[in-house]
Amino acid sequence: MDHQEKSKTEKNETGGNLDEQALFFHRYPRPGKLEIQAIKPLGNQRDLALAYSPGVAAPCLAIRDNPETAADYTSRANLVAVISNGTAVLGLGNIGPLASKPVMEGKAVLFKKFAGIDVFDVEIEAPTVDQMVSTIASLEPTFGGINLEDIKAPECFEVERQLRGKMKIPVFHDDQHGTAIIVAAAILNGLELAGKKIEDVKIVASGAGAAALACLNLLVTLGAKRENIWVHDIEGLVYEGRTELMDEWKAVYAQKSKMRTLADNIGGADVFLGLSAAGVLKPDLLSQMADKPLIMALANPTPEIMPDLARAARPDAMICTGRSDFPNQVNNVLCFPYIFRGALDCGATAINEEMKMAAVEAIAGLAREEVSDVAARAYSGETPVFGPNYLIPSPFDPRLILRIAPAVAKAAAETGVASRPIADFDAYLDQLNRFVWRSGFVMKPIFTSAKLSEKKRVIFAEGEDERVLRAAQVLLEEKTGEPILIGRPSVIEARLKRFGIRIRPNIDFAVVNPEDDPRYRDYVEDYFALVGRAGINPEAARTIVRTNNTVIGALSVKRGEADALICGVEGRFDRHLKDVGQIIGKRPGACTFAGLSLLITQKGPVFFADTFVNYNPTHEEIAEIAVLAAQEVRRFGITPKAALICHSNFGSRNSESARKMRDALQLVREQAPDLEVDGEMQAGSALSEALRKRAMPDSSLAGEANLLLFPNLDAANISLGLVRTMMDALHVGPILLGTAQPAHILSTSVTSRGVVNMAALAVVEASQPA
C-alpha cells in the first residue's frame, strides 16, 4: 500500500484527514519536534567564564590527556546520532535525506521520551556505501552512539559492517536489529506456549529486506536451523542458483528446491514471518500450517493477513502485527531506547550479539513475569497474563527500561566492551526508576484504562471551541470516549470545515443544540426542581437553560444522558463551579469541592491542591482534600507521598496557618492511616529529603513528596503558576475533586491536548468510581 492509499484508508477509518493533522502538528506552535536547551546556568559573568572562555580550557585539556573523561565533562555519553541518507524511509521509499528529516526527528523524540537520551538527527547526502561510511565515521568524536535509520538494503548491511569495524562507539541499525530483537522474543514465547523447540520448527518468511534477514539471523543464533528456513521475496523463493535480486546476505538462506511460491512452502510451517506487503498470506494457506502456528504479520500499516481473518481461519494461531489496535504489537520502541540506554551508561564500544541476546531474553522474560502491583496500575486495570494474546509486553510498559537497560549493560561488561562498567546495579535501577516517572508515562495509565473501559459519553459545554473540536477528533481516533458537543450545529460545521477537521456532527459525534433541543422543557423542569429554592424563578430557569451550556451539560450528566462533563474552556471558573455544584452536587460524605492540578516536570510529576476552589480552607477541609487527592493520584499508578506545606517547618513557627496544617495532619492520619504524609513543612523540605531530615530526622515521609497541600488558595495557585512557568511544565487539570459524578472545569488557557487529557481522566472516573 503506497502513502496515498494509506492516507485514504486513514481518512475512512478515522473520519478525519491524518495528513492535515500531521502537518498542523509539525508546524505549530513551533516547527519541528525538537529543541536544544542549556542545562547549566548562564546568569552572570562568572557562569560565562566557566562555560566558555577561559574556564572551558580546563575540561578540554583534561579530555586531551584522558579521552575517557569526555563522559564526565560533556554530554557525549548521553548523545546519539540518528543518521539516514533517506533511501528507504518508512513506506515512502527513496525520498532523500531532507524529506526524511521529520522521521529522524520523530525517532529522536522517542529516544528522549522513553529513555532520556539526547539526539541530534543527522540527514546526509551520501547515496553510496563509501560516502556514508566516510561521513559517519568522522562523527565519532561528537557522539556516544550511532543509530542508523532508513537505509536501503543491501547497502545498509555493508555500511553497518564497515562502521562497526572502524568506530569504538555503538553502531546499531534499528530497522534490522530492533525488529529482530522483538520478533525473537515473541517467537521464543510463542514456541514455549506451543511446546515446540526452535531447532525443530519450520520457518517461512515473506520478505528479504534488512529487517527480515536480521530477524532470521538472530533466530539462527537462538538455535533455528538454516535448512528449516524458507525465504521468499518479490521474485519468489530464495533458492540455490537464483540470480535475480540476490546478494551475499540473502544467499545464506538459499534452498535446494524446485518449489518457488509461498503456497508451495507454507505446508507444515510452525512460524510465518512477514515483513513484506499487505495481503500476501491468504487465509486458505493457514490450514496447511502446523498446529498452534505463530503468525508474525508485520507489514505496515496493513499486515500480510489481518488478525481477525487469521483467527477465523486458525483459532489456535498466535498472531503478532505491527499495529497498536491488536494484541502483540511488534514495535521497535520496545527495545531500541533501552538498548542504547544500557550501552551508553556502561560506555559500551559496540552493541554485540550478546547484548542483543540479553535484550531478547529481557523482553521475553518480562512477558512471562507475574505482574506487580505497580505494573498492574500502569496497565490501568488490565492485568496482562502470559499467553497467546500477550507474547510481548506493551511498548508503554514502564518496566521495559528496568529490565532491558541493566541486562544490556551486564552483557557489555561480561563481554569486555563496557569501558565504564556499572558497579552498583541497585543504584542504577533506582536511577532508572526515577526516570520512568519523570517521563510521559504519567498519563499512559489513564489513556490505557480509558481505552479498555466500556466507552463513556463525555459532554463538552463549549462544543464550538476549536480546542474542543480537535479534542473530539482525538477521542474518536483513539477510541477513548464518545464525545457529545453542546453548540449550534451550523457553527460547529462551519468551524470543522475552517479548521480542516473531518469528523461529522450527528454521525461521528452527538450534538446538543441549545437553541432547539427536544428535551428543553424537561431540562427546565429538572433544573428548576434543583434550584427553585435558591433564588431562581421559572422564567429565569428557562433563560438559563437556553443560554448556559454548562447547565445543559451538568443536567445531561445528572439525567444519565452523559457520563462526564468537561467545561470551563471559556468563562469564569467560579461560575462554572456554581452550576456544577447546584446540579451534580457533592459525592456522599464530601464536605467540599477542591481543585487538584498535576504538573509533569523534568523532575517528575507533582500534584498541587487546592489550586482553584477554597480560598481559606479549614483544617477539616484540608484533611478531606488530602484524602480525595491521594485517591486521584493512585489512578495514575503513582503512590502518593503527601506534604502539608506552609511557612513553618515542623513547629518552627506558631502562626494560624501553621497550627491549621498541624491539625490537618492529625485528621489525615486518622482518616487515611495508609497514606504516607507529614507536615507542617516548608516547600524545600517537602521536595528534598536531605533538607527534611535536618529538621525532622524521623519524618514519616520518605523521598520527595509528590502531593503538595497548601493552607490557602493564594499559596496553592501562586505556587502552581510559578513552578509551571519556571519549569516549563505540562499542566493537567484542574481535576475537580468531590463531585457526585465526573465533572471537570478547565482553565481558559487549556490546549486541545489538555482537553483530551481531562476527557480521558473523566472516562476513567466514570468507569472506576472511587
Side-chain angles (χ1 to χ4, degrees):
M1 180 180 290
D2 65 22
H3 184 61
Q4 274 191 324
E5 291 173 342
K6 176 181 175 224
S7 296
K8 289 177 183 176
T9 299
E10 285 164 340
K11 288 179 190 180
N12 292 335
E13 289 178 351
T14 65
N17 188 318
L18 189 62
D19 286 349
E20 290 179 7
Q21 294 174 56
L23 291 173
F24 183 92
F25 175 87
H26 281 78
R27 187 171 184 179
Y28 298 103
R30 293 165 57 191
K33 298 189 283 281
L34 297 170
E35 69 175 0
I36 296 174
Q37 288 188 338
I39 58 172
K40 298 293 171 65
L42 288 172
N44 53 46
Q45 187 64 37
R46 179 172 175 76
D47 290 344
L48 187 59
L50 291 170
Y52 199 54
S53 180
V56 75
C60 288
L61 294 174
I63 294 169
R64 180 200 63 184
D65 296 338
N66 181 6
E68 290 296 319
T69 61
D72 301 319
Y73 300 127
T74 75
S75 63
R76 183 174 183 263
N78 194 52
L79 185 62
V80 166
V82 172
I83 301 180
S84 179
N85 66 353
T87 53
V89 180
L90 295 176
L92 306 176
N94 187 355
I95 61 174
L98 182 59
S100 77
K101 188 172 179 64
V103 179
M104 302 312 125
E105 283 191 357
K107 195 64 174 275
V109 169
L110 296 178
F111 267 108
K112 186 67 174 179
K113 196 73 168 178
F114 286 90
I117 294 171
D118 294 320
V119 168
F120 289 159
D121 62 291
V122 181
E123 296 76 30
I124 57 177
E125 188 65 61
T128 70
V129 170
D130 289 344
Q131 287 174 315
M132 287 209 75
V133 171
S134 174
T135 303
I136 296 169
S138 69
L139 298 174
E140 182 169 349
T142 302
F143 297 101
I146 303 292
N147 183 89
L148 302 176
E149 194 76 18
D150 292 350
I151 304 167
K152 71 182 180 73
E155 287 89 339
C156 61
F157 302 119
E158 185 61 26
V159 168
E160 185 184 41
R161 180 163 64 185
Q162 290 191 31
L163 288 173
R164 292 181 69 174
K166 288 176 176 288
M167 304 180 79
K168 288 182 169 44
I169 58 175
V171 178
F172 187 81
H173 186 202
D174 183 49
D175 296 339
Q176 294 182 55
H177 309 301
T179 302
I181 286 165
I182 304 159
V183 165
I187 289 177
L188 282 182
N189 280 344
L191 294 180
E192 178 177 317
L193 289 172
K196 300 176 182 179
K197 296 181 178 179
I198 192 167
E199 58 266 27
D200 299 329
V201 299
K202 177 180 179 180
I203 301 170
V204 175
S206 175
L213 293 176
C215 290
L216 296 174
N217 292 341
L218 192 53
L219 291 174
V220 169
T221 302
L222 285 166
K225 301 290 181 61
R226 292 184 188 274
E227 58 266 28
N228 293 338
I229 298 174
W230 300 75
V231 180
H232 303 77
D233 61 10
I234 196 170
E235 292 290 334
L237 179 70
V238 174
Y239 62 89
E240 289 188 1
R242 198 182 106 175
T243 58
E244 300 87 355
L245 293 179
M246 291 296 290
D247 56 59
E248 61 177 288
W249 295 276
K250 195 184 300 185
V252 170
Y253 294 101
Q255 289 276 12
K256 291 182 180 179
S257 176
K258 293 184 178 179
M259 295 185 288
R260 295 293 182 264
T261 69
L262 184 66
D264 294 334
N265 296 127
I266 198 73
D270 300 281
V271 178
F272 170 81
L273 175 61
L275 284 151
S276 54
V280 166
L281 185 61
K282 306 302 179 186
D284 59 292
L285 296 181
L286 298 188
S287 62
Q288 302 177 41
M289 295 185 71
D291 289 342
K292 298 180 180 178
L294 181 57
I295 299 168
M296 311 288 295
L298 306 180
N300 257 324
T302 306
E304 286 79 3
I305 186 169
M306 290 297 290
D308 49 349
L309 294 178
R311 181 75 62 209
R314 285 299 298 266
D316 62 334
M318 291 170 278
I319 306 162
C320 298
T321 71
R323 295 173 64 114
S324 61
D325 51 348
F326 291 100
N328 295 322
Q329 183 194 10
V330 174
N331 186 328
N332 285 17
V333 80
L334 267 166
C335 71
F336 74 79
Y338 316 123
I339 289 173
F340 269 96
R341 181 73 278 159
L344 292 172
D345 290 341
C346 69
T349 57
I351 294 176
N352 57 29
E353 292 303 305
E354 291 82 359
M355 293 161 74
K356 289 189 284 185
M357 290 299 298
V360 171
E361 292 167 3
I363 294 169
L366 180 56
R368 296 192 296 266
E369 279 188 31
E370 181 178 348
V371 178
S372 67
D373 291 343
V374 172
R377 287 200 301 271
Y379 277 87
S380 296
E382 178 198 20
T383 304
V385 178
F386 179 52
N389 289 326
Y390 186 64
L391 298 175
I392 46 178
S394 159
F396 287 95
D397 192 319
R399 298 170 295 170
L400 283 164
I401 192 171
L402 306 177
R403 301 294 184 275
I404 298 173
V408 168
K410 284 180 182 177
E414 291 167 359
T415 55
V417 299
S419 63
R420 301 187 306 277
I422 292 170
D424 187 342
F425 273 93
D426 288 337
Y428 183 51
L429 278 171
D430 182 62
Q431 174 187 330
L432 295 175
N433 248 313
R434 288 172 178 269
F435 167 75
V436 167
W437 297 114
R438 288 199 304 268
S439 68
F441 285 106
V442 175
M443 285 303 298
K444 184 57 188 176
I446 300 301
F447 282 99
T448 301
S449 183
K451 290 178 182 178
L452 291 172
S453 66
E454 178 185 346
K455 291 299 173 285
K456 297 297 183 181
R457 302 157 298 174
V458 182
I459 191 163
F460 295 87
E462 295 90 6
E464 299 173 1
D465 190 282
E466 177 187 358
R467 293 165 291 178
V468 172
L469 295 172
R470 293 192 182 280
Q473 171 105 353
V474 174
L475 292 177
L476 289 166
E477 288 179 350
E478 297 184 353
K479 300 178 181 177
T480 304
E482 297 179 3
I484 303 170
L485 272 54
I486 304 174
R488 296 159 293 178
S490 61
V491 175
I492 290 175
E493 289 186 10
R495 292 185 178 178
L496 288 171
K497 184 177 181 179
R498 183 199 309 171
F499 302 132
I501 304 171
R502 302 298 180 88
I503 54 176
R504 298 157 296 176
N506 295 315
I507 297 175
D508 298 314
F509 62 91
V511 176
V512 176
N513 183 359
E515 295 180 342
D516 184 22
D517 190 280
R519 296 164 293 189
Y520 171 69
R521 292 183 183 277
D522 294 334
Y523 283 166
V524 171
E525 290 178 5
D526 290 344
Y527 180 57
F528 185 71
L530 291 166
V531 301
R533 294 183 181 273
I536 303 294
N537 60 39
E539 184 61 32
R542 286 191 286 271
T543 301
I544 290 170
V545 170
R546 184 75 76 188
T547 60
N548 188 324
N549 288 4
T550 297
V551 167
I552 296 172
L555 287 168
S556 297
V557 173
K558 186 77 172 180
R559 288 161 53 88
E561 295 164 355
D563 300 297
L565 167 67
I566 300 292
C567 62
V569 176
E570 299 169 4
R572 286 173 47 178
F573 185 94
D574 56 345
R575 291 181 179 175
H576 291 286
L577 181 61
K578 178 182 178 182
D579 295 328
V580 170
Q582 287 181 329
I583 299 169
I584 292 177
K586 298 183 183 71
R587 61 190 288 184
C591 299
T592 185
F593 295 119
L596 176 67
S597 290
L598 163 62
L599 289 186
I600 302 176
T601 75
Q602 293 295 323
K603 297 186 69 175
V606 185
F607 294 83
F608 293 68
D610 165 26
T611 49
F612 278 84
V613 178
N614 295 282
Y615 292 99
N616 189 22
T618 65
H619 72 278
E620 292 92 349
E621 288 172 332
I622 290 172
E624 180 180 315
I625 292 167
V627 174
L628 290 173
Q631 292 172 353
E632 199 68 29
V633 171
R634 291 188 179 98
R635 290 192 196 275
F636 291 82
I638 298 172
T639 300
K641 292 174 174 284
L644 280 68
I645 306 294
C646 73
H647 67 285
S648 175
N649 212 32
F650 299 106
S652 64
R653 303 287 289 273
N654 198 35
S655 63
E656 180 183 347
S657 62
R659 292 193 299 273
K660 178 166 64 173
M661 300 309 273
R662 283 177 222 147
D663 293 341
L665 175 66
Q666 299 306 315
L667 285 180
V668 173
R669 286 176 168 168
E670 293 171 10
Q671 296 171 15
D674 295 333
L675 176 61
E676 190 174 333
V677 60
D678 208 346
E680 86 288 6
M681 68 180 76
Q682 295 172 352
S685 296
L687 299 177
S688 169
E689 187 172 38
L691 288 177
R692 186 167 60 253
K693 283 186 174 181
R694 290 179 196 170
M696 184 56 59
D698 62 348
S699 172
S700 55
L701 185 64
E704 298 177 6
N706 55 26
L707 172 57
L708 309 180
L709 295 116
F710 298 85
N712 57 52
L713 186 60
D714 280 342
N717 195 274
I718 291 169
S719 298
L720 174 70
L722 286 173
V723 174
R724 179 183 181 182
T725 303
M726 294 175 68
M727 299 191 70
D728 193 23
L730 173 65
H731 179 221
V732 179
I735 303 165
L736 189 58
L737 305 176
T739 56
Q741 293 168 278
H744 295 294
I745 306 165
L746 310 186
S747 64
T748 54
S749 62
V750 70
T751 63
S752 60
R753 189 70 224 177
V755 178
V756 172
N757 287 339
M758 291 306 299
L761 180 61
V763 168
V764 173
E765 291 172 336
S767 304
Q768 303 171 0

